[in-house]
Amino acid sequence: MVNGITRPLETVIMYKRLVLEIIEADLSAVKNLSDLLSQERTHLKQRNLTSLEEIVSLKSHQIKLLNTSEKMRNEIVQQAKTHRLAETWEQLVIVLNDDVLIEKWGSLKTALKKCQHLNLLNGKLIARGQQTNRKLRDIFQGKSEHGGLYSDSGQHSNDTTQSYTVTRA
């Protein structure tokens, strides 16, 4: 009996099997993604750009797997609606009343939050690197955020939009 309505046992077992398979596949993809994000962070700190290209490609593959899984979850929820089992994935997991499913679903949500956190940290590292590169480029181009530049003739200027030649060949 689910939500006060008797369901054929085969239907409930089928949903439990499908939900478990999807959650386990997602757990594997999220673990791989988490590992890749950790590797990415290491390579970002070391400014190892060659390795980053491969990691980005591998991350993209894991994200595609998770997106495919999301589509499958949505299809299963649509089927569950026709069987009057549940309206959302979360409800379906709860309605199936299986401790293993509930535990694994909780683990998946926690692992996803960890990936979001790691991705945020990596984004900050990337932004900091871009800022540093911009500042270095501005220095090489003779630009300064603080003004007070001197031209090659020795004239002082507070104009920050003007650039000056640092060296001549």
Side-chain angles (χ1 to χ4, degrees), residues 83-98:
H83 290 110
R84 297 182 188 172
L85 278 175
E87 296 289 320
T88 66
W89 181 262
E90 188 87 28
Q91 284 179 350
L92 182 59
V93 170
I94 293 167
V95 164
L96 291 174
N97 197 25
D98 185 296

Side-chain angles (χ1 to χ4, degrees), residues 12-160:
V12 173
I13 291 172
M14 176 195 70
Y15 278 108
K16 283 184 181 185
R17 183 182 52 78
L18 285 171
V19 169
L20 183 61
E21 286 175 10
I22 289 173
I23 291 174
E24 286 178 340
D26 285 352
L27 277 168
S28 175
V30 168
K31 185 198 179 309
N32 291 338
L33 184 58
S34 178
D35 291 344
L36 289 167
L37 287 165
S38 294
Q39 290 174 30
E40 180 182 52
R41 183 178 176 131
T42 300
H43 290 288
L44 284 169
K45 286 179 178 179
Q46 297 171 350
R47 296 182 185 250
N48 185 350
L49 302 179
T50 307
S51 298
L52 283 174
E53 289 178 27
E54 181 182 353
I55 290 172
V56 168
S57 175
L58 293 170
K59 279 182 6 183
S60 178
H61 176 70
Q62 296 304 317
I63 290 169
K64 285 179 185 175
L65 290 174
L66 290 169
N67 287 336
T68 301
S69 178
E70 180 183 14
K71 290 176 186 172
M72 290 172 47
R73 283 194 308 270
N74 289 335
E75 289 175 13
I76 290 172
V77 167
Q78 291 303 316
Q79 291 174 7
K81 285 180 182 180
T82 64
H83 290 110
R84 297 182 188 172
L85 278 175
E87 296 289 320
T88 66
W89 181 262
E90 188 87 28
Q91 284 179 350
L92 182 59
V93 170
I94 293 167
V95 164
L96 291 174
N97 197 25
D98 185 296
D99 292 339
V100 173
L101 284 180
I102 293 169
E103 177 189 337
K104 287 188 182 226
W105 176 243
S107 296
L108 178 59
K109 290 192 300 185
T110 301
L112 281 168
K113 286 180 183 176
K114 178 183 176 189
C115 280
Q116 288 173 332
H117 178 71
L118 290 172
N119 193 49
L120 178 68
L121 292 176
N122 289 355
K124 288 179 180 180
L125 279 173
I126 291 169
R128 192 175 337 145
Q130 289 173 335
Q131 182 182 24
T132 300
N133 287 337
R134 254 190 317 277
K135 286 182 179 183
L136 287 172
R137 183 193 66 222
D138 288 348
I139 289 170
F140 288 130
Q141 291 176 344
K143 296 179 182 176
S144 172
E145 292 178 9
H146 305 293
L149 295 176
Y150 291 91
S151 68
D152 55 354
S153 63
Q155 297 294 320
H156 183 267
S157 170
N158 286 327
D159 183 7
T160 60

